[in-house]
Amino acid sequence: MGVVTQVSLGKVNSLFPSYGFTKLEPTLSGIIDTTYIAHTKTSSYILKKYERDIPQKIAQDTKLLNELNAKGLNVPICLAQNQGWYLYKKLKGSQPKYVKSYHIQALARFLAKLHCTMATYKCTSNQIIEEEVLTALRYTKENYFGYYKRLEFLKHFSLKPDACIHGDIFKDNTIFDGKKIGVIDFIDSSCGTFAYDAAVALVGFDARVHHQYFINLFLNTYNQHAPKKITKKRLLYKMKVASHFYALKRVYTYKNTFRAQELLG
């Protein structure tokens, strides 16, 4: 999230005249796509402009969100679009500041239901992502050799698919209304394993800090409802892969070694 393309309140009201927006609030984090919160007198919405040439991906994302919503998953559906701007339902609640047991249980239930729904979705190769990892490793080797030695094992990185997964459920992609979880930002979903999707989420929810307790709690909840059970051994390995993958991404994409170090421990 964040703002790359500036837009005025008047322009937004001309794009979506039936809503009557009274306030436009830019978001502060992120650098890829433009995101505002648009307010009316009674409701709030997410206004987004994708700063990437991905029309087919956006269409797939819109269809996916509608289908997930119809299955009872709390995700933001697209309400309208005009001239490259997309208006989404804003989920009620806020991002968790401190992770508690009920966050982990809600996360596990959401992922189990998501994976049951996604198990029938066809998906294609992750060759592009795998090639990007190799490119990022070459860059890191040339510019941050100390980090490269810790990340080198990712040269064998592969997302052999179970189905389409979210793949980026960090805390800032979740919304909690009490104990009810909502998940946002499916635009970069891709093929992968359910174990990897779970691992990313646990890394994003700081499960390593509470290691055994949160991981056991997640697995006990997830495996009751999931289409395919995950063993603890497999999950721990996938958590290592996920933390190193996102550390590499922070070094390569954002040149941020401090935040990479957070993930490497």
Side-chain angles (χ1 to χ4, degrees):
M1 295 184 289
V3 171
V4 177
T5 301
Q6 301 284 335
V7 68
S8 68
L9 179 61
K11 175 65 174 178
V12 174
N13 276 318
S14 70
L15 291 171
F16 305 103
S18 64
Y19 287 85
F21 296 112
T22 57
K23 181 182 177 183
L24 202 57
E25 180 183 350
T27 58
L28 301 176
S29 61
I31 60 173
I32 298 177
D33 298 315
T34 290
T35 307
Y36 285 89
I37 301 174
H39 302 275
T40 66
K41 290 182 179 179
T42 57
S43 302
S44 297
Y45 303 84
I46 299 297
L47 178 69
K48 186 178 285 283
K49 181 177 178 63
Y50 295 99
E51 305 292 347
R52 299 168 277 174
D53 186 20
I54 50 171
Q56 184 177 359
K57 181 65 175 171
I58 296 170
Q60 291 172 349
D61 180 66
T62 300
K63 180 182 178 182
L64 173 63
L65 289 173
N66 285 332
E67 292 178 3
L68 294 178
N69 180 262
K71 294 287 187 178
L73 286 154
N74 190 25
V75 297
I77 59 174
C78 184
L79 302 171
Q81 57 178 289
N82 193 3
Q83 297 180 28
W85 290 92
Y86 294 80
L87 191 67
Y88 291 88
K89 170 188 173 183
K90 186 178 184 297
L91 303 184
K92 293 181 179 179
S94 59
Q95 296 168 5
K97 291 183 179 179
Y98 305 103
V99 180
K100 299 183 179 180
S101 299
Y102 70 84
H103 292 125
I104 298 297
Q105 290 175 302
L107 179 66
R109 287 192 294 269
F110 182 95
L111 275 170
K113 190 170 184 178
L114 175 67
H115 293 165
C116 284
T117 304
M118 302 294 265
T120 58
Y121 277 67
K122 293 181 180 179
C123 59
T124 55
S125 167
N126 281 307
Q127 184 178 353
I128 293 175
I129 295 175
E130 290 163 8
E131 288 175 353
E132 288 175 349
V133 167
L134 293 177
T135 299
L137 282 172
R138 286 193 292 269
Y139 169 86
T140 305
K141 184 176 183 179
E142 293 172 1
N143 296 276
Y144 300 93
F145 189 74
Y147 280 93
Y148 170 76
K149 294 304 293 181
R150 301 175 70 181
L151 299 168
E152 183 181 10
F153 86 100
L154 287 175
K155 63 187 178 184
H156 303 299
F157 180 84
S158 176
L159 283 173
K160 294 178 181 178
D162 286 327
C164 185
I165 62 171
H166 186 291
D168 193 25
I169 303 182
F170 279 68
K171 279 189 293 185
D172 57 3
N173 278 337
T174 63
I175 304 292
F176 279 84
D177 183 17
K179 294 184 179 181
K180 181 182 179 181
I181 185 176
V183 174
I184 63 174
D185 279 359
F186 280 77
I187 191 64
D188 290 315
S189 60
S190 62
C191 292
T193 64
F194 295 147
Y196 181 76
D197 210 16
V200 170
L202 285 171
V203 169
F205 272 69
D206 305 323
R208 292 171 302 166
V209 176
H210 304 275
H211 195 60
Q212 298 296 327
Y213 175 66
F214 274 0
I215 291 170
N216 290 337
L217 181 62
F218 178 91
L219 283 172
N220 289 338
T221 306
Y222 176 88
N223 283 337
Q224 291 179 44
H225 309 286
K228 182 184 294 187
K229 289 188 177 182
I230 303 173
T231 66
K232 187 172 183 179
K233 180 179 179 180
R234 179 169 170 76
L235 182 60
L236 289 173
Y237 174 72
K238 290 295 185 180
M239 286 177 68
K240 178 183 177 183
V241 173
S243 61
H244 284 64
F245 172 82
Y246 277 95
L248 175 64
K249 190 172 183 179
R250 289 174 177 181
V251 171
Y252 177 63
T253 306
Y254 307 116
K255 313 301 183 286
N256 194 328
T257 55
F258 176 75
R259 296 206 65 199
Q261 183 61 40
E262 286 180 339
L263 287 169
L264 296 174

